[in-house]
Amino acid sequence: MDNKPTTRFINIIMTGLFILIAITFITIAGSFYAVEQNAIRSGQEQLMQTLNYVTNNLRLVIENRSLSLQQFSEELAFKDLPEDPLAAAEKEGIIAAYLGSHEDQTNLLIQLDAEGIFSAAWVTEGGTTQILAEETALTYLQADPSFGSLFDGDPLLQNSSEYFLDNQSFVNLYTPIVAANGQVTGYLVAPLNLENMFKAEIFSDTSAYSGYPLVKNADMEVVIHPVESQVGLDIISDRQKQFPDLDLSDLRRLEEAQLTQAEGTLSYYSYWWDEENPTKVLKLGAFKWIDIGAAHWVIALNSDFYEHNRVPIQNNYILLSLLLLISAIVLIFVLLIRGYNKKNQAYEESQRFIEKQKFENERHQLEKRILKENKLESIGLLTTTIVHDMNNFLTPILGNAQLLMEEYAENDELVSELKEIYHAAEKGKELSTNVLRFSKVSEGQQDKSNDLSQVLKDTLSEITILTPKGITLENMITPDLSVEGFDKQDLQVVLYNLMTNAFQAIGNNPGKVKIRLEKALPPYNTELQKRSVVTREKQYAVLSITDDGPGIAEGLENENLFDPFFTTKGSKGSGLGLFVVSSIADKYDWQIKLDRAQKGLTVSVSIPLLPKE
């Protein structure tokens, strides 16, 4: 018995691996969290610095547009002097120059008198300045929420708060028209297109990364956005109407933070609204409230967190994947160890069972062999006695029949009947010789033959008379098949036993028995050649006997059918038919195959052909 296996060393390795994985997991998890937090903090700091630049730039641009309007107002007041005959022409030139300087941002100018009554309006389109209708100009004043404060006595504001027209956002720049004597003679109002101004002067989308600044008012309506369709929308309710299936819970958190804090940074989940089907991303955001004139805005700047931190995050994911791989390996190892432990527990008991079973098998095989040898010995003695007695009976019959044929040679009818008696006695003597051969009393002295096709035809012509009524014989014999030498009587015995089994399988029912002799098909021939080095160059002929009986019952192994005295016919069978066939096949190295894949049974005998010279 082998030594009992031990798991001590494996248990030590397993414990060490668990500790190593735990340490690695804690380290990677901590590193991943630290990298992510550092990336968030760094990203938010950079956003806040950029946001301060954007905020200052926005303030300066609007102040610059306001100063430009004030300078234009001064020039216009000077040209309004009545004593200057060229004032009207030069005034039109000054207006055209002013409106043309920033045509995409302030292409419209409205002049009011000192009481705030509409005086005139101009617009520049395609480089051409023309008079604007009062009705159109008044829409910009009526939409302005700060317009009424111009005349309430308070100091004049630089600009109004925002308003929306045709999905665009505006603020109105204000400046008075002051005469040389210091008297206010009127006002100039210049609507500033915030979207165009922002894109031209502040935000230029040349970055390879996702992200952009935007401006919202105190009602959380979008004032400036790179996507023009977003201008004027409420960041929660209007977007929810546009995309009812999107999760905007983090946008609500962002809105709450912006409404309660003067400035700040945070991370949140949102979407890129310039996509046809927005995808959810983790954004870093910074915001700050500013006042420019009457406008009170929150300036926000955001970016895609993972886009800016792809490399360190990918490295952490790689480490995490390696950890998961190691964990999977350890889990498999643990499962193997568990199975090994179970095997270890049952080891000694299984060894005892194996030894016991081995002993029982050996004893059983010994008993079977002794029983088989006893039966064969008994049958050998019995058949020898019977054959010798039959020969004693047949010898005088043969002798007397021959004498009678010689004595009555002139009586043809009698001689014919005597010949039948003589031939029948000869057949009986041949049969006794065969029996002696199988009982190892005689080795057989038949002549060797090679023409398998002719021997098979002769044998079938003799056996045909034994065919029961109701059973049809069909044969297809390929001519001129020469095989390695064999005794004709051996082939007759094989064919007789196989056909007898086929007749008995069909019984009293109508049936059909097919005898076929042909060269083995290439796939089957290749299979036969693989048996040994000796057979790998041989070609085979196949003799097959097929019946349409019930076939072999399920559960019976092919090997059992060739055991001596094994029968499925009860008291009606001797159990020696297939045993005799297999004995002859072993003698010549023929191969026997049982095929029960179809109805009935096919027994095939593969016989080596003579090699071609």
Side-chain angles (χ1 to χ4, degrees):
M1 183 181 295
D2 297 336
N3 293 330
K4 180 180 179 181
T6 177
T7 61
R8 179 180 177 185
F9 181 69
I10 296 177
N11 288 334
I12 293 174
I13 294 177
M14 184 175 66
T15 303
L17 285 174
F18 269 121
I19 294 174
L20 178 62
I21 288 177
I23 294 173
T24 306
F25 182 80
I26 293 172
T27 303
I28 292 179
S31 173
F32 188 86
Y33 179 77
V35 168
E36 187 175 41
Q37 293 303 310
N38 288 336
I40 290 176
R41 283 195 296 270
S42 175
Q44 289 174 342
E45 290 174 359
Q46 292 178 5
L47 282 177
M48 183 55 75
Q49 293 176 2
T50 306
L51 179 64
N52 289 332
Y53 166 79
V54 171
T55 301
N56 293 333
N57 200 14
L58 176 63
R59 191 190 303 273
L60 288 174
V61 169
I62 295 178
E63 288 178 356
N64 182 51
R65 297 291 174 272
S66 180
L67 290 173
S68 177
L69 181 62
Q70 292 177 18
Q71 183 179 2
F72 166 73
S73 174
E74 292 173 0
E75 293 180 16
L76 187 64
F78 176 76
K79 297 302 178 185
D80 274 345
L81 295 176
E83 62 272 13
D84 187 350
L86 300 177
E90 292 186 12
K91 178 179 179 180
E92 292 180 0
I94 293 173
I95 293 173
Y98 169 75
L99 293 177
S101 61
H102 299 288
E103 182 179 345
D104 59 333
Q105 302 171 30
T106 54
N107 69 332
L108 190 148
L109 180 66
I110 303 171
Q111 183 176 356
L112 307 175
D113 62 14
E115 304 298 326
I117 306 301
F118 177 83
S119 297
W122 301 266
V123 64
T124 295
E125 293 180 354
T128 302
T129 303
Q130 56 187 353
I131 302 297
L132 181 67
E134 178 181 359
E135 181 181 357
T136 303
L138 290 178
T139 59
Y140 289 89
L141 301 178
Q142 293 167 355
D144 181 358
S146 307
F147 181 69
S149 63
L150 286 174
F151 312 104
D152 57 6
D154 294 333
L156 186 65
L157 296 173
Q158 171 184 280
N159 55 270
S160 71
S161 58
E162 74 289 335
Y163 62 90
F164 303 98
L165 284 176
D166 299 327
N167 293 327
Q168 292 183 314
S169 57
F170 298 88
V171 294
N172 285 341
L173 302 177
Y174 306 138
T175 188
I177 301 174
V178 182
N181 58 4
Q183 183 179 359
V184 175
T185 62
Y187 299 92
L188 292 177
V189 179
L192 175 62
N193 188 310
L194 295 175
E195 194 78 11
N196 292 345
M197 177 271 297
F198 198 74
K199 290 179 180 179
E201 304 294 339
I202 298 175
F203 176 67
S204 178
D205 189 13
T206 59
S207 172
Y209 293 103
S210 301
Y212 47 77
L214 70 154
V215 179
K216 294 177 287 188
N217 60 20
D219 295 326
M220 291 291 109
E221 294 173 332
V222 178
V223 178
I224 300 173
H225 197 286
V227 181
E228 293 184 8
S229 62
Q230 296 290 309
V231 174
L233 299 182
D234 182 275
I235 64 169
I236 303 296
S237 59
D238 290 336
R239 285 174 175 173
Q240 195 73 74
K241 292 176 183 178
Q242 283 185 329
F243 305 99
D245 297 330
L246 297 185
D247 178 16
L248 303 182
S249 56
D250 260 22
L251 277 184
R252 293 186 177 89
R253 184 168 61 87
L254 172 66
E255 181 183 83
E256 182 180 353
Q258 291 177 344
L259 289 174
T260 56
Q261 302 175 28
E263 63 179 50
T265 59
L266 75 165
S267 59
Y268 62 99
Y269 284 95
S270 183
Y271 305 85
W272 297 123
W273 305 105
D274 54 350
E275 298 176 353
E276 183 177 353
N277 297 307
T279 54
K280 195 171 187 179
V281 294
L282 178 62
K283 292 183 180 180
L284 296 182
F287 64 90
K288 184 176 184 179
W289 286 93
I290 63 171
D291 293 313
I292 303 178
H296 182 59
W297 295 331
V298 58
I299 316 299
L301 186 63
N302 54 44
S303 67
D304 191 321
F305 170 73
Y306 290 108
E307 196 171 26
H308 284 274
N309 300 279
R310 182 177 290 111
V311 174
I313 290 175
Q314 282 180 345
N315 292 337
N316 278 275
Y317 276 129
I318 291 172
L319 290 176
L320 186 60
S321 299
L322 290 175
L323 177 62
L324 292 175
L325 178 61
I326 294 173
S327 301
I329 294 173
V330 171
L331 178 60
I332 294 173
F333 185 74
V334 169
L335 293 176
L336 292 175
I337 290 299
R338 184 179 178 184
Y340 181 83
N341 287 333
K342 288 183 178 180
K343 179 180 178 181
N344 187 47
Q345 294 172 0
Y347 178 78
E348 292 183 354
E349 184 177 358
S350 65
Q351 287 295 319
R352 288 195 298 271
F353 280 126
I354 290 172
E355 292 296 329
K356 183 179 179 180
Q357 185 66 33
K358 182 178 179 181
F359 173 76
E360 293 293 335
N361 288 339
E362 290 178 353
R363 187 176 71 174
H364 179 67
Q365 293 297 327
L366 179 60
E367 291 175 351
K368 282 180 63 178
R369 187 168 67 251
I370 293 173
L371 180 61
K372 177 180 177 180
E373 290 177 355
N374 288 338
K375 286 184 177 181
L376 290 175
E377 183 179 359
S378 300
I379 289 179
L381 291 173
L382 178 61
T383 53
T384 302
T385 303
I386 293 173
V387 167
H388 279 292
D389 289 342
M390 285 182 63
N391 285 336
N392 291 334
F393 297 146
L394 292 172
T395 299
I397 295 174
L398 288 170
N400 290 326
Q402 190 172 7
L403 290 173
L404 288 172
M405 284 189 292
E406 292 175 358
E407 184 176 352
Y408 296 98
E410 297 178 357
N411 190 339
D412 293 337
E413 184 177 354
L414 180 59
V415 169
S416 177
E417 293 177 354
L418 288 172
K419 282 183 178 180
E420 289 183 7
I421 295 173
Y422 183 83
H423 290 317
E426 275 191 331
K427 289 294 183 182
K429 194 168 184 179
E430 288 178 2
L431 178 60
S432 66
T433 303
N434 286 335
V435 173
L436 285 175
R437 186 148 51 92
F438 284 108
S439 61
K440 298 184 181 179
V441 174
S442 171
E443 293 299 329
Q445 301 299 325
Q446 288 77 6
D447 295 331
K448 293 285 184 177
S449 178
N450 295 103
D451 192 344
L452 178 62
S453 304
Q454 187 58 48
V455 173
L456 183 59
K457 290 178 181 178
D458 296 341
T459 303
L460 285 175
S461 65
E462 296 175 0
I463 297 178
T464 302
I465 60 174
L466 302 176
T467 305
K469 293 181 179 180
I471 296 179
T472 304
L473 282 182
E474 292 184 2
N475 63 77
M476 188 180 75
I477 301 174
T478 302
D480 302 324
L481 287 181
S482 298
V483 299
E484 297 177 355
F486 64 95
D487 292 339
K488 292 188 290 183
Q489 297 294 335
D490 287 337
L491 181 63
Q492 291 173 353
V493 172
V494 168
L495 193 60
Y496 172 78
N497 280 285
L498 294 179
M499 291 183 65
T500 299
N501 283 347
F503 296 157
Q504 292 175 348
I506 297 174
N508 298 325
N509 300 319
K512 183 184 295 183
V513 176
K514 298 179 181 179
I515 300 97
R516 180 188 294 265
L517 177 64
E518 59 186 350
K519 286 186 177 180
L521 296 175
Y524 185 50
N525 199 87
T526 303
E527 182 181 342
L528 292 168
Q529 289 175 338
K530 292 179 180 178
R531 293 187 300 113
S532 68
V533 177
V534 178
T535 61
R536 65 185 179 185
E537 300 295 335
K538 291 186 177 182
Q539 300 293 320
Y540 287 84
V542 179
L543 170 63
S544 60
I545 292 88
T546 303
D547 64 72
D548 54 4
I552 300 174
E554 292 293 333
L556 289 180
E557 298 295 334
N558 291 349
E559 293 78 4
N560 295 337
L561 301 175
F562 295 99
D563 289 343
F565 314 113
F566 180 86
T567 180
T568 60
K569 305 181 183 73
S571 60
K572 296 181 180 179
S574 65
L576 293 173
L578 288 179
F579 170 67
V580 170
V581 172
S582 66
S583 299
I584 295 175
D586 292 341
K587 175 180 176 181
Y588 296 110
D589 196 25
W590 296 349
Q591 298 300 311
I592 302 176
K593 179 181 178 183
L594 302 182
D595 183 5
R596 41 184 172 181
Q598 57 184 7
K599 180 182 178 182
L601 176 67
T602 298
V603 182
S604 300
V605 182
S606 302
I607 304 172
L609 294 169
L610 276 177
K612 294 182 180 179
E613 296 182 357

